[in-house]
Amino acid sequence: MSQRLSLSATILLALAVALGLYFAFAAVQGPSGILRRIQIEAETAELAIQRDKLKTEVQQMQNLTRRMSDEYLDLDLLDERAREVLGLIRAGEVILR
């Protein structure tokens, strides 16, 4: 007793399998799929590291700016910056390069 599927049942089964494969592919490869989510999470982690580095740099610049302000003048920093930017040296100093 061999039972065969009718033509409409075969077409319906093939359509169901095709839709299942499509949705499985979309869940993995699609614009909102698993692989895209992993990629976005990696980018987010990388950007968070970059943000933290920039925050540190901004804090350092704010510190230097405050130390060079009229309210609080760090003479050692002023001397260092004048030497570096303007190329100033004190009398009697020898520069080794």
Side-chain angles (χ1 to χ4, degrees):
M1 282 214 254
S2 166
Q3 292 184 351
R4 296 183 61 181
L5 293 175
S6 66
L7 182 60
S8 62
T10 305
I11 292 174
L12 187 61
L13 180 62
L15 183 63
V17 169
L19 282 174
L21 289 174
Y22 170 75
F23 286 123
F25 177 78
V28 174
Q29 294 283 341
S32 299
I34 294 171
L35 295 180
R36 179 67 179 141
R37 182 179 177 117
I38 292 170
Q39 182 183 18
I40 289 172
E41 288 175 355
E43 289 175 7
T44 302
E46 184 179 320
L47 289 173
I49 291 169
Q50 186 178 0
R51 180 201 61 209
D52 293 340
K53 287 179 184 178
L54 289 173
K55 278 185 179 180
T56 303
E57 186 177 331
V58 166
Q59 289 173 349
Q60 290 173 348
M61 295 301 287
Q62 286 174 339
N63 182 31
L64 287 176
T65 302
R66 187 177 81 66
R67 288 171 55 198
M68 293 292 289
S69 70
D70 292 335
E71 302 163 359
Y72 176 87
L73 183 59
D74 186 351
L75 295 177
D76 290 332
L77 180 63
L78 179 63
D79 183 53
E80 174 189 327
R81 297 304 298 162
R83 289 167 178 267
E84 185 177 324
V85 174
L86 301 175
L88 298 177
I89 60 171
R90 291 187 180 145
E93 284 186 334
V94 177
I95 304 293
L96 301 175
R97 291 187 186 212

